[in-house]
Amino acid sequence: MFNKQKTHDKLLELVKAENIKAEEDLRNHLYTKLGGKADFFITPTTYEEIQNVVKFSNEENIPFTLLGNGSNLIIKDGGIRGIVINLTHLNKISSEENTLVAQSGSRIIDASFHAMEQRLSGLEFACGIPGTVGGALYMNAGAYGGEIKDVLDYAYVVDKQGNIVKRLASELDLDYRTSNIPDNGDIVIEATFNLKPAKYEEIKAIVDDLTYKRESKQPLEYPSCGSVFKRPPGYFAGKLIQDSKLQGTNIGGAEVSTKHAGFIVNKDNATTTDYISLIEHVQKTVKEKFGVELEREVRIIGEDIE
């Protein structure tokens, strides 16, 4: 177990005091509004600060966890030990000719809209994805037929040793909702996308259509982690759940959405335990009825309450 006071004193040398919070309630940073506390919650404002925190955690053997804007994540009720690094202060987006560069803490939605304003096509599919750019690379986010791997050129990451390294898109093993970024222990800090020039009206028409589809079909009125399950080969997760008569099923305050069966919503002050139990119930029921294994798309991390 690490010394919290010593850790706090050292972090003050590496990151501005206003960007360090002890015993931070993580539910304030998650779309599900669930989860326990972090020992230390750090919001770096420079790449050097990220490097310094990674190197320090390595030297002192202190666990650290990377957190985007919490859109595809469930954190257990016991919270997270060690250091949680949140990059949402690193949110600059710029473009030049057919290239868009976005820091990892910027929202992929904002990158999509920036591209539209600059008459650049290719990121329209991301106009409704709530995660950060870093999170989008982490899981090769996609929607409505488009994926990050279709437009990503390269990324800069902080590796496990605290070095800044350039990774080409071809080096990231981008596949359906996966990449090698977590296995490598990389922290994405910046991404460069190759886009194509197009008319503003044409791009906006696509964005408006996708936005309508998302808002009309997804239960955005309740906290949720987004789509819970990956699409099984040959099936649609939502259809399997719907055909299993699971819509409206609840455990505690968590409920399988009646609007879109692929979503589980925090309907009434759910705990993470409620949420996870309902996920497991859905998986078990679909397996029994259709013989199909539903694999989670959402990540579950953190500690159980002792």
Side-chain angles (χ1 to χ4, degrees):
M1 185 65 179
F2 64 96
N3 185 298
K4 290 187 179 182
Q5 186 58 55
K6 180 182 175 183
T7 300
H8 186 263
D9 292 344
K10 182 61 179 178
L11 287 172
L12 287 171
E13 299 175 15
L14 306 176
V15 183
K16 293 177 183 178
E18 61 265 30
N19 296 327
I20 304 170
K21 294 181 180 180
E23 297 298 318
E24 175 69 2
D25 196 337
L26 292 170
R27 77 182 74 185
N28 297 328
H29 303 279
L30 297 179
Y31 272 56
T32 57
K33 303 302 179 185
L34 303 172
K37 296 182 178 181
D39 291 334
F40 293 101
F41 187 82
I42 312 296
T43 51
T45 56
T46 68
Y47 297 161
E48 183 180 11
E49 287 179 345
I50 300 170
Q51 292 178 273
N52 290 339
V53 172
V54 169
K55 291 174 182 176
F56 167 62
S57 66
N58 287 338
E59 291 167 2
E60 299 297 325
N61 198 29
I62 298 171
F64 75 88
T65 302
L66 183 65
L67 177 67
N69 70 346
S71 62
N72 194 51
L73 184 68
I74 295 171
I75 294 177
K76 294 181 179 180
D77 296 318
I80 297 177
R81 304 289 69 79
I83 298 169
V84 172
I85 302 175
N86 177 272
L87 302 184
T88 51
H89 284 1
L90 294 166
N91 55 17
K92 293 179 181 176
I93 303 171
S94 61
S95 56
E96 184 175 352
E97 295 184 348
N98 297 342
T99 298
L100 183 144
V101 178
Q103 290 186 310
S104 64
S106 56
R107 299 191 311 159
I108 192 66
I109 288 175
D110 294 335
S112 175
F113 276 83
H114 181 99
M116 179 175 70
E117 294 297 330
Q118 298 302 313
R119 278 65 172 170
L120 293 173
S121 177
L123 274 174
E124 292 91 332
F125 73 89
C127 67
I129 297 174
T132 60
V133 167
L137 268 65
Y138 185 101
M139 64 172 295
N140 184 33
Y144 300 110
E147 294 178 294
I148 288 296
K149 70 176 184 179
D150 299 334
V151 289
L152 181 68
D153 188 3
Y154 61 88
Y156 284 105
V157 306
V158 173
D159 68 12
K160 288 191 291 187
Q161 287 72 44
N163 304 307
I164 294 180
V165 180
K166 182 178 180 179
R167 305 274 196 224
L168 299 177
S170 59
E171 299 176 295
L172 297 178
D173 293 340
L174 297 168
D175 204 346
Y176 178 64
R177 303 301 177 264
T178 187
S179 74
N180 63 22
I181 293 170
D183 293 336
N184 291 339
D186 288 341
I187 297 175
V188 176
I189 55 175
E190 187 178 291
T192 297
F193 301 95
N194 280 334
L195 305 176
K196 296 179 180 178
K199 294 181 179 179
Y200 175 84
E201 293 76 12
E202 294 174 354
I203 299 172
K204 189 173 186 302
I206 295 172
V207 168
D208 288 347
D209 179 57
L210 296 184
T211 299
Y212 171 76
K213 288 178 179 177
R214 175 174 177 264
E215 292 179 350
S216 62
K217 294 179 180 179
Q218 296 182 12
L220 304 179
E221 64 273 25
Y222 294 111
S224 81
C225 61
S227 182
V228 177
F229 303 103
K230 295 181 180 181
R231 185 179 66 244
Y235 298 91
F236 291 98
K239 183 70 164 56
L240 289 169
I241 296 167
Q242 182 177 341
D243 290 347
S244 297
K245 311 297 183 184
L246 286 167
Q247 284 183 282
T249 299
N250 69 285
I251 293 179
E255 180 181 278
V256 178
S257 170
T258 56
K259 191 173 184 180
H260 189 309
F263 286 67
I264 292 177
V265 297
N266 181 357
K267 187 79 174 288
D268 185 19
N269 297 313
T271 65
T272 303
T273 302
D274 295 338
Y275 221 93
I276 294 173
S277 296
L278 188 52
I279 289 173
E280 292 172 347
H281 174 68
V282 169
Q283 289 173 314
K284 180 175 180 289
T285 303
V286 170
K287 174 68 174 176
E288 289 173 350
K289 287 186 175 293
F290 298 103
V292 178
E293 299 271 4
L294 288 182
E295 183 182 354
R296 278 189 289 103
E297 179 176 313
V298 63
R299 294 167 57 219
I300 299 175
I301 62 174
E303 310 272 336
D304 292 313
I305 294 177
E306 296 180 356

